[in-house]
Amino acid sequence: MLDLNTELNLRLVDTLRCPVCGAPMGVDPNGRSLACGGTVSDRNPKGKTHLFDGGAGGYVNLAPNHSGGGDSKEAVRARTSFLRSGYYAPAAEAIAALVSEFTPQNGLVLDAGCGEGYYSNCVAEEGFAVLGVDLSKFAADTSAKTARRERMNREQESSTLYAVGSVFELPVVDEAFDTVVNIFAPCAPAEYARVLKPGGHLIVAGAGERHLFGLKELIYDDPYLNDPRRDLPAEGDGLRLLEVRNATFTVTVDDPDHRAALFSMTPYYWRTSREGHSRLATAETLVTEVSFNLHIYEKA
Ligand SMILES: C[S@@+](CC[C@H](N)C(=O)[O-])C[C@H]1O[C@@H](n2cnc3c(N)ncnc32)[C@H](O)[C@@H]1O
Ligand SMILES: [Zn+2]
């Protein structure tokens, strides 16, 4: 039987709070669940304990009221197959380098809307402990399994923890993280400010103007530039914009399955005509610019 005391990163467990009563969480004395209050003698004020299974999949479900939310199994599978093929490796390197630049050594990082943990696991390789939170249980499950496999291969201790949860109501105590990353996922600025330590950083990645322009040229007669993200932090959120950087590179996608997976990761998938879909499917290849805008904020 797995013992969560050795299986999970306990620094990350210490950042969690109960989604039901808000009390801090810890590993239950049974070693198989996370419990609010942490130990029998330190339960929440009403003496009640809420238990969350942390076993089988290696992730913990901390969104009991949102079951079935977030990306579907198919969406997660498509993105996993595309990302694992390495097309976005330059973006992952840029994000990991940015986190290293703005985070103290051994710092704690939260990946809000982490998907299948592609970026979280890259950031963890830089020596940080990373909590990934996603509303999709399929995403959290894939993230945890991938991290576990890589950790076993390298005989390392766990430096990641994955939870099902919403970025708008993070199952995390106040001022716990040095850095929050939010990559092509819903942005909840006030919540990120709450969980950041004073002076901590938020890195928000979104589509640059010409992100996937080559893909749009294939599917649309009149391709258009992307609008900037609308859900970025505003005045009053307690976050100050330091700078905006950009990571741009070109990918060539010959494999039609990978092309289809990339297409299904975009919002254009649902807005494209049948003709556009078939143009992408029958094209010999796809060569396209990939452009990530990286917004860096500091908590005031
Ligand atoms: C486009 S994907 C990006 C995933 C990952 N950050 C990446 O770039 O590979 C958006 C992710 O946000 C998740 N998501 C949607 N709404 C969410 C919410 N309210 N809280 C947490 N995650 C959410 C989806 O399940 C999905 O995994
Ligand atoms: Zn509780």
Side-chain angles (χ1 to χ4, degrees):
M1 187 66 74
L2 289 180
D3 179 356
L4 297 185
N5 286 296
T6 49
E7 190 65 18
L8 300 183
N9 180 301
L10 297 180
R11 287 179 72 212
L12 292 171
V13 171
D14 281 346
T15 69
L16 299 176
R17 78 174 185 189
C18 175
V20 182
C21 70
M25 308 258 285
V27 176
D28 189 76
N30 71 18
R32 292 193 302 276
S33 325
L34 296 184
C36 58
T39 65
V40 180
S41 57
D42 183 26
R43 297 297 193 208
N44 67 57
K46 287 185 184 152
K48 261 187 148 185
T49 299
H50 303 111
L51 290 176
F52 301 88
D53 182 23
Y59 70 93
V60 58
N61 189 341
L62 297 177
N65 300 325
H66 293 281
S67 70
D71 277 6
S72 65
K73 193 187 246 179
E74 293 71 30
V76 167
R77 200 173 281 159
R79 207 167 43 234
T80 305
S81 103
F82 181 81
L83 290 174
R84 275 198 193 149
S85 302
Y87 295 103
Y88 276 14
E93 281 160 24
I95 288 168
L98 209 53
V99 171
S100 298
E101 187 180 331
F102 285 95
T103 311
Q105 250 188 348
N106 298 317
L108 296 180
V109 178
L110 169 71
D111 186 352
C114 64
E116 40 292 301
Y118 177 66
Y119 300 102
S120 336
N121 290 333
C122 290
V123 168
E125 276 176 29
E126 298 294 308
F128 302 106
V130 185
L131 172 68
V133 174
D134 199 285
L135 200 53
S136 161
K137 69 174 180 188
F138 306 107
D141 186 47
T142 305
S143 302
K145 285 187 177 140
T146 309
R148 188 160 200 280
R149 202 172 40 242
E150 288 177 7
R151 171 159 62 90
M152 292 296 166
N153 286 342
R154 294 187 198 152
E155 298 181 4
Q156 282 172 343
E157 291 194 349
S158 176
S159 56
T160 53
L161 176 64
Y162 290 98
V164 179
S166 172
V167 298
F168 296 103
E169 217 178 328
L170 287 163
V172 159
V173 297
D174 295 356
E175 302 194 346
F177 288 89
D178 296 286
T179 299
V180 173
V181 296
N182 175 243
I183 304 163
F184 284 81
C187 190
E191 197 53 355
Y192 301 158
R194 179 183 71 77
V195 304
L196 276 173
K197 294 178 187 170
H201 292 91
L202 166 67
I203 297 168
V204 185
E209 269 196 342
R210 291 181 57 84
H211 183 55
L212 300 181
F213 201 74
L215 172 70
K216 288 189 189 169
E217 283 178 316
L218 255 182
I219 58 175
Y220 295 138
D221 294 328
D222 288 314
Y224 55 91
L225 297 178
N226 296 312
D227 287 332
R229 283 184 74 140
R230 280 186 222 133
D231 58 353
L232 292 171
E235 224 173 291
D237 284 325
L239 296 157
R240 184 169 64 93
L241 181 64
L242 295 184
E243 55 181 301
V244 184
R245 297 196 196 164
N246 176 272
T248 293
F249 50 96
T250 302
V251 294
T252 302
V253 189
D254 291 331
D255 183 328
D257 290 340
H258 289 162
R259 232 157 36 215
L262 173 62
F263 191 23
S264 75
M265 285 161 61
T266 70
Y268 327 126
Y269 187 80
W270 304 104
R271 306 181 200 141
T272 300
S273 65
R274 195 175 290 195
E275 198 194 335
H277 275 264
S278 104
R279 261 189 262 163
L280 184 76
T282 55
E284 250 175 43
T285 187
L286 165 68
V287 181
T288 186
E289 234 172 288
V290 172
S291 172
F292 278 42
N293 280 346
L294 302 159
H295 298 76
I296 306 149
Y297 298 84
E298 188 170 75
K299 179 170 168 175

